[in-house]
Amino acid sequence: MGKYIIKGGKKLEGEVRISGSKNAALPILAATILNSSKSTLYNLPDIHDTQMMLEILKLLGAKAEKKKNKVIIDTSKISKYEIPESLMRQMRSSVILAGSLIGKYKTATFSYPGGCDIGSRPIDLHLKGFEKLGIAIQKEYGNINCVADKIIGEKIDLDFPSVGATENIILASVLAEGQTIINNAAREPEIIDLQNFLNKMGAKIKGAGSNQIIVQGVKTLKEVSYNIMPDRIEAGTFLCAAAITGGNIKLNEVNSEHITPVISKLEEANCKIKIEKNSVEINAQKKLKSLEIKTMPYPGFPTDLQSLFVSTLTVAKGTSLMVENIFENRYKYIPELVRMGAKIMVEGKSAVIKGVRKLYGANVKATDLRGGAALVLAGLAAKGVTNVENIEYILRGYENFDIKLQKLGANILLE
Ligand code: EPZ
């Protein structure tokens, strides 16, 4: 596994372009199955997770061609409907292919995604939604076989506004007979992007971004081209990188409406934020103040930025509190921060962060995607050299992370 070597202490300065959203790209890549035709995607982030998703689509029989600033996917020749266990285990979000395969071909086989670095990640809400649509679910030897004669639109009430379950039910119902209503739907912006992509393809979906989504089944879908929304979590990551180093950076190609809870927290922490049409500028030259944060489903504070804020608050003045309400095991990176001199106590869902004057470089290991990024930020602020190992986790979700940080003045090398 590769590593980043970071010499800390530099304030980040300059401009950075935010890439396309990983969490919009993955369901949109799955959705290309539905039109059995061509989909041209612009602003697709070139990261391990999208590369993996393209590999799986090709395994199923699709063609994918990368051109300068676009990827053209042709799903007209898909002939397999089983997602290989090895790939399911490597990337649990490939479960999102199930909805499309079932929606288009009335069949899909996949293995239980298995837990991952941040929690058990069950898919019970996905499967309950499929069953309501008339899909038969058979579980044997760790595999899940889904099959349906017809898919009939239904009213589905989600126990929890699960992002993946909302997306999978949408994908399974686009070509269904009749209308599907999803109540207590997740409201994340990535679901709006999926709705816009599918409607451009000829689907009839409304309500994404609210807690009720209505899908009117259609018979056919057509070729489509689409520009993927900016990555709000990458944007938040770079804002935290400026905050923890006391820097001053400008993020371009970002949708500031997607990160309002993040911006207000950084302003509360004494950062100055300037919002323009497609850009956000942060000036963090004042001493950071402590915060109290609870992660919540959108439009609340995003769980994906929990670790980045915990890392940033290790050098704030005073004591901060983080409460992680979405995943049950999303503090695995904290012992690594403690190795760098952070003072953090974890008790169940809560982490109490006592601000310290300085962090010190150390050898640390990434435990997951966002936890790994949090260690990089700590290394940028620490005195001395930090080696962050197991960076494959980080490469899953951040495009050219080291190069973008180098351009902002960070002393970071990929080995
Ligand atoms: C999506 O994961 C994102 N991934 C996650 O981002 C993000 O953290 C999460 O939404 C919450 O915003 C992608 O979009 C690819 P959930 P997902 O279903 O769909 C429980 C990142 O770092 N749950 O909303 O898996 C689940 O265990 C990743 O980019 C069930 O109990 O999230 C969790 O506790 C990490 N049963 C909670 O709901 C289910 O059937 C939220 O999960 C489904 C979920």
Side-chain angles (χ1 to χ4, degrees), residues 141-202:
Y141 316 118
N143 264 344
I144 301 169
N145 302 310
C146 302
V147 67
D149 297 332
K150 279 195 290 192
I151 298 181
I152 315 277
E154 253 300 342
K155 184 171 77 68
I156 296 168
D157 300 309
L158 285 177
D159 302 348
F160 176 85
S162 153
V163 172
T166 302
E167 293 168 341
N168 243 340
I169 294 165
I170 290 172
L171 293 167
S173 56
V174 164
L175 294 168
E177 288 178 26
Q179 185 182 80
T180 297
I181 299 174
I182 308 170
N183 289 322
N184 195 24
R187 298 172 55 188
E188 273 69 4
E190 292 76 19
I191 297 173
I192 300 174
D193 226 32
L194 177 63
Q195 171 181 281
N196 295 342
F197 174 72
L198 286 166
N199 285 345
K200 249 192 121 177
M201 210 191 243

Coordinates of all heavy atoms in Angstrom, one line a residue, residues 141-202:
Y141 N -26.2 -19.1 0.8 CA -24.7 -19.1 0.8 C -24.1 -17.7 0.6 O -23.2 -17.5 -0.2 CB -24.2 -20.0 -0.4 CG -24.9 -21.3 -0.5 CD1 -25.7 -21.6 -1.6 CD2 -25.0 -22.2 0.6 CE1 -26.4 -22.8 -1.7 CE2 -25.7 -23.4 0.5 CZ -26.4 -23.6 -0.7 OH -27.2 -24.8 -0.8
G142 N -24.6 -16.7 1.3 CA -24.0 -15.4 1.3 C -24.4 -14.6 0.1 O -24.0 -13.4 -0.1
N143 N -25.2 -15.2 -0.9 CA -25.6 -14.5 -2.1 C -27.0 -14.1 -1.9 O -27.8 -14.7 -1.2 CB -25.5 -15.4 -3.3 CG -24.2 -15.2 -4.0 OD1 -23.5 -14.1 -3.8 ND2 -23.8 -16.1 -4.9
I144 N -27.4 -13.0 -2.6 CA -28.8 -12.5 -2.7 C -29.2 -12.6 -4.1 O -28.6 -12.0 -5.0 CB -28.9 -11.1 -2.1 CG1 -28.4 -11.0 -0.7 CG2 -30.3 -10.6 -2.2 CD1 -28.2 -9.6 -0.2
N145 N -30.3 -13.4 -4.4 CA -30.8 -13.5 -5.8 C -32.1 -12.7 -5.8 O -33.0 -12.9 -5.0 CB -31.1 -14.9 -6.2 CG -29.8 -15.8 -6.1 OD1 -28.8 -15.3 -6.6 ND2 -29.8 -16.9 -5.4
C146 N -32.2 -11.7 -6.7 CA -33.5 -11.0 -6.8 C -34.0 -11.3 -8.2 O -33.3 -11.3 -9.2 CB -33.2 -9.5 -6.8 SG -32.4 -9.0 -5.3
V147 N -35.4 -11.5 -8.2 CA -36.0 -11.8 -9.5 C -37.4 -11.3 -9.5 O -38.1 -11.3 -8.4 CB -35.9 -13.3 -9.9 CG1 -36.7 -14.2 -8.9 CG2 -36.2 -13.6 -11.3
A148 N -37.9 -10.9 -10.6 CA -39.3 -10.4 -10.6 C -39.9 -10.7 -12.0 O -39.2 -10.6 -13.0 CB -39.4 -8.9 -10.4
D149 N -41.2 -11.1 -12.1 CA -41.9 -11.2 -13.4 C -42.1 -9.7 -13.9 O -41.8 -9.3 -14.9 CB -43.2 -11.9 -13.2 CG -43.0 -13.3 -12.8 OD1 -41.9 -13.8 -13.1 OD2 -43.8 -13.9 -12.0
K150 N -42.8 -9.0 -13.0 CA -43.1 -7.6 -13.3 C -42.7 -6.7 -12.1 O -42.7 -7.2 -10.9 CB -44.6 -7.4 -13.5 CG -45.1 -7.8 -14.9 CD -46.5 -7.3 -15.2 CE -47.5 -8.0 -14.3 NZ -48.9 -7.7 -14.8
I151 N -42.4 -5.5 -12.3 CA -42.2 -4.6 -11.2 C -43.3 -3.6 -11.1 O -43.5 -2.9 -12.1 CB -40.8 -3.9 -11.3 CG1 -39.7 -5.0 -11.2 CG2 -40.6 -2.9 -10.1 CD1 -38.3 -4.4 -11.3
I152 N -44.0 -3.6 -10.1 CA -45.2 -2.8 -10.0 C -45.0 -1.6 -9.0 O -44.6 -1.9 -7.8 CB -46.5 -3.6 -9.5 CG1 -46.5 -4.9 -10.2 CG2 -47.7 -2.8 -9.6 CD1 -47.2 -4.9 -11.5
G153 N -45.2 -0.4 -9.4 CA -44.9 0.7 -8.5 C -45.7 0.6 -7.2 O -46.8 0.0 -7.2
E154 N -45.1 1.1 -6.1 CA -45.8 1.0 -4.8 C -45.4 2.2 -3.9 O -44.5 3.0 -4.3 CB -45.2 -0.3 -4.1 CG -46.2 -1.4 -4.0 CD -47.5 -1.0 -3.2 OE1 -47.5 -0.1 -2.5 OE2 -48.4 -1.7 -3.4
K155 N -46.1 2.3 -2.8 CA -45.7 3.3 -1.8 C -44.8 2.6 -0.8 O -45.0 1.6 -0.3 CB -47.0 3.8 -1.0 CG -46.7 4.9 0.0 CD -48.0 5.5 0.5 CE -48.6 4.6 1.6 NZ -47.7 4.5 2.8
I156 N -43.6 3.2 -0.6 CA -42.6 2.7 0.2 C -42.2 3.7 1.3 O -41.8 4.8 1.0 CB -41.3 2.3 -0.6 CG1 -41.7 1.2 -1.6 CG2 -40.2 1.8 0.3 CD1 -40.6 0.9 -2.7
D157 N -42.3 3.3 2.6 CA -42.0 4.1 3.7 C -40.6 3.7 4.3 O -40.5 2.6 4.8 CB -43.0 4.1 4.8 CG -44.4 4.5 4.3 OD1 -44.4 5.6 3.7 OD2 -45.4 3.8 4.4
L158 N -39.6 4.5 4.1 CA -38.3 4.1 4.6 C -38.2 4.3 6.1 O -38.5 5.4 6.6 CB -37.2 4.9 3.9 CG -36.8 4.5 2.5 CD1 -35.8 5.4 1.9 CD2 -36.3 3.1 2.4
D159 N -37.7 3.3 6.9 CA -37.6 3.5 8.4 C -36.5 4.6 8.7 O -36.6 5.3 9.7 CB -37.0 2.2 9.0 CG -38.0 1.0 8.7 OD1 -39.1 1.3 8.3 OD2 -37.6 -0.1 9.0
F160 N -35.5 4.7 7.8 CA -34.5 5.7 8.0 C -34.2 6.3 6.6 O -34.2 5.6 5.6 CB -33.2 5.0 8.5 CG -32.0 5.9 8.6 CD1 -31.9 6.7 9.8 CD2 -31.1 6.0 7.6 CE1 -30.8 7.5 9.9 CE2 -30.0 6.9 7.7 CZ -29.9 7.6 8.9
P161 N -33.9 7.6 6.5 CA -33.6 8.2 5.2 C -32.3 7.7 4.6 O -31.3 8.5 4.5 CB -33.6 9.7 5.4 CG -33.3 9.8 6.9 CD -33.8 8.6 7.6
S162 N -32.2 6.4 4.3 CA -30.9 5.9 3.8 C -30.7 6.4 2.3 O -31.5 6.2 1.5 CB -31.1 4.3 3.7 OG -30.2 3.8 2.7
V163 N -29.5 6.9 2.1 CA -29.1 7.4 0.8 C -29.1 6.2 -0.2 O -29.8 6.3 -1.3 CB -27.7 8.0 0.8 CG1 -27.2 8.4 -0.6 CG2 -27.7 9.3 1.7
G164 N -28.4 5.2 0.1 CA -28.3 4.0 -0.9 C -29.7 3.4 -1.1 O -30.0 3.0 -2.3
A165 N -30.5 3.2 -0.1 CA -31.8 2.6 -0.3 C -32.7 3.5 -1.1 O -33.4 3.0 -2.1 CB -32.4 2.3 1.1
T166 N -32.6 4.8 -0.9 CA -33.4 5.7 -1.7 C -33.0 5.6 -3.2 O -33.9 5.4 -4.1 CB -33.2 7.2 -1.2 OG1 -33.6 7.3 0.1 CG2 -34.0 8.2 -2.1
E167 N -31.7 5.6 -3.4 CA -31.2 5.5 -4.8 C -31.6 4.2 -5.5 O -32.0 4.1 -6.6 CB -29.7 5.7 -4.8 CG -29.3 7.2 -4.4 CD -27.8 7.3 -4.1 OE1 -27.1 6.3 -3.9 OE2 -27.4 8.5 -4.1
N168 N -31.4 3.1 -4.7 CA -31.7 1.7 -5.3 C -33.1 1.6 -5.6 O -33.5 1.0 -6.7 CB -31.2 0.6 -4.3 CG -30.1 -0.2 -4.9 OD1 -29.9 -0.2 -6.1 ND2 -29.4 -0.9 -4.1
I169 N -34.0 2.1 -4.8 CA -35.5 2.0 -5.1 C -35.8 2.8 -6.3 O -36.6 2.4 -7.1 CB -36.3 2.4 -3.8 CG1 -36.0 1.4 -2.7 CG2 -37.8 2.5 -4.2 CD1 -36.5 1.9 -1.3
I170 N -35.2 4.0 -6.4 CA -35.5 4.8 -7.6 C -35.1 4.0 -8.8 O -35.8 3.9 -9.8 CB -34.7 6.2 -7.6 CG1 -35.2 7.1 -6.5 CG2 -34.7 6.9 -8.9 CD1 -34.4 8.4 -6.3
L171 N -33.9 3.5 -8.8 CA -33.3 2.8 -10.0 C -34.2 1.6 -10.4 O -34.4 1.3 -11.5 CB -31.9 2.3 -9.7 CG -30.9 3.5 -9.6 CD1 -29.6 3.0 -9.1 CD2 -30.7 4.1 -11.0
A172 N -34.7 0.9 -9.3 CA -35.6 -0.3 -9.6 C -36.9 0.1 -10.1 O -37.6 -0.8 -10.7 CB -35.7 -1.1 -8.3
S173 N -37.4 1.3 -9.9 CA -38.8 1.7 -10.2 C -38.9 2.6 -11.5 O -40.0 2.8 -11.9 CB -39.4 2.4 -9.0 OG -38.7 3.5 -8.6
V174 N -37.8 3.0 -12.1 CA -37.9 3.9 -13.2 C -38.6 3.3 -14.4 O -39.4 3.9 -15.1 CB -36.4 4.3 -13.7 CG1 -36.4 4.9 -15.1 CG2 -35.8 5.3 -12.7
L175 N -38.4 1.9 -14.6 CA -39.1 1.2 -15.7 C -40.3 0.4 -15.2 O -40.7 -0.5 -15.9 CB -38.1 0.4 -16.5 CG -37.0 1.1 -17.2 CD1 -35.8 0.2 -17.6 CD2 -37.5 1.9 -18.4
A176 N -40.7 0.6 -14.0 CA -41.8 -0.2 -13.4 C -43.1 0.2 -14.0 O -43.2 1.2 -14.7 CB -41.8 0.0 -11.9
E177 N -44.1 -0.7 -13.8 CA -45.5 -0.3 -14.2 C -46.1 0.5 -13.1 O -46.1 0.1 -11.9 CB -46.3 -1.6 -14.4 CG -45.9 -2.3 -15.7 CD -46.7 -3.6 -15.8 OE1 -47.8 -3.6 -15.3 OE2 -46.2 -4.5 -16.4
G178 N -46.6 1.7 -13.4 CA -47.3 2.5 -12.4 C -46.3 3.4 -11.6 O -45.1 3.6 -11.9
Q179 N -46.8 3.9 -10.5 CA -46.1 5.0 -9.7 C -45.6 4.4 -8.4 O -46.2 3.7 -7.7 CB -47.2 6.1 -9.4 CG -46.6 7.3 -8.7 CD -47.7 8.3 -8.4 OE1 -48.4 8.1 -7.4 NE2 -47.8 9.3 -9.2
T180 N -44.3 4.8 -8.1 CA -43.7 4.5 -6.8 C -43.5 5.8 -6.0 O -43.1 6.8 -6.6 CB -42.3 3.8 -7.1 OG1 -42.5 2.6 -7.8 CG2 -41.6 3.5 -5.8
I181 N -43.9 5.7 -4.8 CA -43.8 6.9 -3.9 C -42.8 6.5 -2.8 O -43.1 5.4 -2.1 CB -45.1 7.3 -3.3 CG1 -46.1 7.7 -4.4 CG2 -44.9 8.5 -2.3 CD1 -47.5 8.1 -3.9
I182 N -41.7 7.2 -2.6 CA -40.8 6.9 -1.5 C -40.9 8.0 -0.4 O -40.7 9.1 -0.7 CB -39.3 6.9 -2.0 CG1 -39.1 6.0 -3.2 CG2 -38.4 6.5 -0.9 CD1 -37.8 6.1 -3.9
N183 N -41.4 7.5 0.7 CA -41.6 8.4 1.9 C -40.4 8.3 2.8 O -39.8 7.2 2.9 CB -42.9 8.1 2.6 CG -44.1 8.6 1.8 OD1 -44.1 9.6 1.1 ND2 -45.1 7.7 1.8
N184 N -40.1 9.4 3.5 CA -38.9 9.5 4.4 C -37.6 9.2 3.5 O -36.7 8.6 4.0 CB -39.0 8.5 5.5 CG -37.9 8.8 6.6 OD1 -37.5 9.9 6.7 ND2 -37.5 7.8 7.4
A185 N -37.6 9.7 2.3 CA -36.5 9.5 1.4 C -35.3 10.4 1.9 O -35.5 11.4 2.5 CB -36.9 10.0 0.0
A186 N -34.1 9.9 1.5 CA -32.9 10.7 1.8 C -33.0 12.0 1.0 O -33.5 12.0 -0.1 CB -31.6 9.9 1.6
R187 N -32.4 13.1 1.5 CA -32.5 14.4 0.8 C -31.2 14.9 0.2 O -31.1 16.0 -0.2 CB -33.1 15.4 1.7 CG -34.5 15.1 2.2 CD -35.0 16.0 3.3 NE -35.0 17.4 2.9 CZ -35.2 18.4 3.8 NH1 -35.4 18.1 5.0 NH2 -35.1 19.6 3.4
E188 N -30.2 14.0 0.3 CA -28.8 14.4 -0.2 C -28.8 15.0 -1.6 O -29.6 14.5 -2.5 CB -27.9 13.3 -0.1 CG -27.2 13.1 1.3 CD -28.1 12.7 2.4 OE1 -29.3 12.4 2.2 OE2 -27.7 12.5 3.5
P189 N -28.0 16.0 -1.9 CA -27.9 16.6 -3.3 C -27.6 15.6 -4.4 O -27.9 15.7 -5.5 CB -26.8 17.6 -3.1 CG -26.7 17.9 -1.7 CD -27.1 16.7 -1.0
E190 N -26.8 14.5 -4.0 CA -26.5 13.5 -5.0 C -27.7 12.8 -5.5 O -27.7 12.3 -6.6 CB -25.5 12.5 -4.3 CG -24.1 13.0 -3.9 CD -24.1 13.9 -2.7 OE1 -25.1 13.8 -1.9 OE2 -23.2 14.7 -2.5
I191 N -28.8 12.8 -4.7 CA -30.0 12.2 -5.2 C -30.7 13.1 -6.2 O -31.3 12.6 -7.2 CB -30.9 11.8 -4.0 CG1 -30.2 10.8 -3.1 CG2 -32.3 11.3 -4.5 CD1 -30.9 10.4 -1.8
I192 N -30.6 14.4 -6.0 CA -31.1 15.3 -7.0 C -30.3 15.1 -8.3 O -30.9 15.1 -9.4 CB -30.9 16.8 -6.5 CG1 -31.7 17.0 -5.2 CG2 -31.4 17.8 -7.6 CD1 -31.5 18.3 -4.6
D193 N -29.0 14.9 -8.2 CA -28.2 14.7 -9.4 C -28.6 13.5 -10.2 O -28.8 13.4 -11.4 CB -26.7 14.6 -9.1 CG -25.8 15.5 -10.0 OD1 -26.3 16.5 -10.4 OD2 -24.7 15.1 -10.3
L194 N -28.9 12.4 -9.4 CA -29.4 11.1 -10.0 C -30.7 11.4 -10.7 O -31.0 10.9 -11.8 CB -29.5 10.1 -8.9 CG -30.1 8.7 -9.4 CD1 -29.1 8.1 -10.4 CD2 -30.3 7.8 -8.2
Q195 N -31.6 12.1 -10.0 CA -33.0 12.4 -10.6 C -32.8 13.2 -11.9 O -33.4 12.8 -12.9 CB -33.8 13.2 -9.6 CG -35.1 13.7 -10.3 CD -35.9 14.6 -9.3 OE1 -36.6 14.0 -8.4 NE2 -35.9 15.9 -9.4
N196 N -31.9 14.2 -11.9 CA -31.7 15.0 -13.1 C -31.2 14.2 -14.3 O -31.6 14.3 -15.4 CB -30.8 16.2 -12.8 CG -31.4 17.2 -11.8 OD1 -32.6 17.2 -11.6 ND2 -30.6 18.0 -11.2
F197 N -30.2 13.3 -13.9 CA -29.6 12.4 -14.9 C -30.7 11.5 -15.6 O -30.8 11.4 -16.8 CB -28.5 11.6 -14.3 CG -27.9 10.5 -15.2 CD1 -27.1 10.9 -16.3 CD2 -28.2 9.2 -15.0 CE1 -26.6 9.9 -17.1 CE2 -27.7 8.2 -15.9 CZ -26.9 8.6 -16.9
L198 N -31.5 10.9 -14.7 CA -32.5 9.9 -15.2 C -33.6 10.7 -16.0 O -34.0 10.2 -17.0 CB -33.1 9.2 -14.0 CG -32.2 8.1 -13.4 CD1 -32.7 7.6 -12.0 CD2 -32.0 6.9 -14.3
N199 N -34.0 11.8 -15.5 CA -35.0 12.6 -16.2 C -34.5 13.0 -17.6 O -35.3 13.0 -18.6 CB -35.5 13.8 -15.4 CG -36.4 13.4 -14.3 OD1 -36.9 12.2 -14.3 ND2 -36.7 14.3 -13.3
K200 N -33.2 13.3 -17.7 CA -32.7 13.7 -19.0 C -32.7 12.4 -19.9 O -32.8 12.6 -21.2 CB -31.2 14.1 -18.8 CG -31.0 15.6 -19.1 CD -29.5 15.9 -19.2 CE -29.2 16.5 -20.6 NZ -27.8 17.0 -20.7
M201 N -32.7 11.3 -19.3 CA -32.7 10.0 -20.1 C -34.2 9.7 -20.5 O -34.4 8.7 -21.3 CB -32.2 8.9 -19.1 CG -31.5 7.8 -19.7 SD -31.3 6.5 -18.5 CE -29.5 6.5 -18.4
G202 N -35.1 10.4 -19.9 CA -36.5 10.1 -20.2 C -37.4 9.6 -19.1 O -38.5 9.2 -19.3

